């Protein structure tokens, strides 16, 4: 028996069985010793069975590598096997159809890359950007000069009252003493006028 195996391969990838292309292949068996020359086509399972062959040792089993029903297939295994004796062996022929993607013409990515010398990008000087800074709050202290402004006038001290601080108390004592002296003086003047009369 002869058996045909048809496979396809795309872009040199793995082989894929093509069972629809196993049939219709012509297989020929010949023997000079026995005067045999018989051809059969493979069936839907890819088989061509030869029975009742006389016993000889010079059989040649060959395939026709062209099948009009399965164009584009090429033999992968030898197309003929010689020195065979018909004793129930199976001889297998394998044909393959290779396909490729069409060549790229637009926006193609190269499959190999050439090393490139790294280039230093040009240095671009970027002027510093000035970010507006909000004014810092300034607290005013009495008698202190505010930056960029005239001096803040100090209000005159009015004293701290009788129980105020030492400066306020001294001022008040001087005023009272002056008033007492003035009152005493006026009292003497008044007494002196009364005694003259």
């Amino acid at each position: 028996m002869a058996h045909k195996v048809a496979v396809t391969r795309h872009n040199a990838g793995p082989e894929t069985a093509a069972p629809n292309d196993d049939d219709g292949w012509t297989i020929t068996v010949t023997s000079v010793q026995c005067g045999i020359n018989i051809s059969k086509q493979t069936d839907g399972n890819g088989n061509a069975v030869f029975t009742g062959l006389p016993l000889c040792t010079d059989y040649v089993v060959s395939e026709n590598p062209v099948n009009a029903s399965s164009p584009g297939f090429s033999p992968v295994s030898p197309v003929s096997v010689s020195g065979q004796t018909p004793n129930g062996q199976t001889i297998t022929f394998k044909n393959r159809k290779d396909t490729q993607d069409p060549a790229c013409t637009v926006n193609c990515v190269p499959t190999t890359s050439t090393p490139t010398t790294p280039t230093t990008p040009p240095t671009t000087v970027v002027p510093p950007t000035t970010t507006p800074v909000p004014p810092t709050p300034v607290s005013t202290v009495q008698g202190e000069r505010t930056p960029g402004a005239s001096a803040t006038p100090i209000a005159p001290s009015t004293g701290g009252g009788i129980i105020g601080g030492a400066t306020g108390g001294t001022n008040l004592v001087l005023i009272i003493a002056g008033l007492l002296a003035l009152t005493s003086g006026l009292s003497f003047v008044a007494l002196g006028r009364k005694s003259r009369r």
Side-chain angles (χ1 to χ4, degrees):
M1 179 174 77
H3 180 67
K4 167 62 71 174
V5 175
V7 296
T8 60
R9 185 174 68 171
H10 187 67
N11 289 339
E15 292 180 345
T16 303
N20 292 335
D21 293 295
D22 290 341
D23 61 335
W25 297 88
T26 301
I27 306 296
T28 303
V29 173
T30 59
S31 170
V32 174
Q33 291 175 5
C34 293
I36 300 294
N37 187 345
I38 303 171
S39 294
K40 290 187 177 183
Q41 288 190 339
T42 57
D43 60 16
N45 294 321
N47 297 323
V49 180
F50 297 87
T51 57
L53 296 173
L55 192 58
C56 293
T57 59
D58 69 335
Y59 277 96
V60 176
V61 183
S62 60
E63 70 155 339
N64 183 350
V66 177
N67 182 355
S69 300
S70 300
F73 284 84
S74 299
V76 177
S77 61
V79 295
S80 67
V81 179
S82 59
Q84 298 297 308
T85 301
N87 56 5
Q89 75 270 27
T90 300
I91 298 173
T92 301
F93 297 100
K94 183 178 179 181
N95 287 47
R96 182 176 66 213
K97 182 177 184 178
D98 287 309
T99 57
Q100 296 286 334
D101 287 330
C104 180
T105 57
V106 179
N107 296 331
C108 301
V109 176
T111 55
T112 59
S113 61
T114 55
T116 57
T117 305
T119 57
T120 306
T123 306
T124 304
V125 178
V126 179
T129 57
T130 54
T131 306
V133 179
T136 305
V138 178
S139 61
T140 304
V141 178
Q142 188 176 16
E144 293 293 325
R145 183 177 178 89
T146 303
S150 60
T152 304
I154 300 173
S157 177
T158 56
I162 295 176
I163 55 172
T167 305
T170 305
N171 290 340
L172 186 58
V173 169
L174 289 175
I175 292 172
I176 293 172
L179 286 175
L180 287 175
L182 185 61
T183 305
S184 300
L186 289 176
S187 297
F188 286 122
V189 171
L191 285 175
R193 286 187 179 172
K194 283 184 181 178
S195 58
R196 287 181 191 165
R197 291 185 185 168

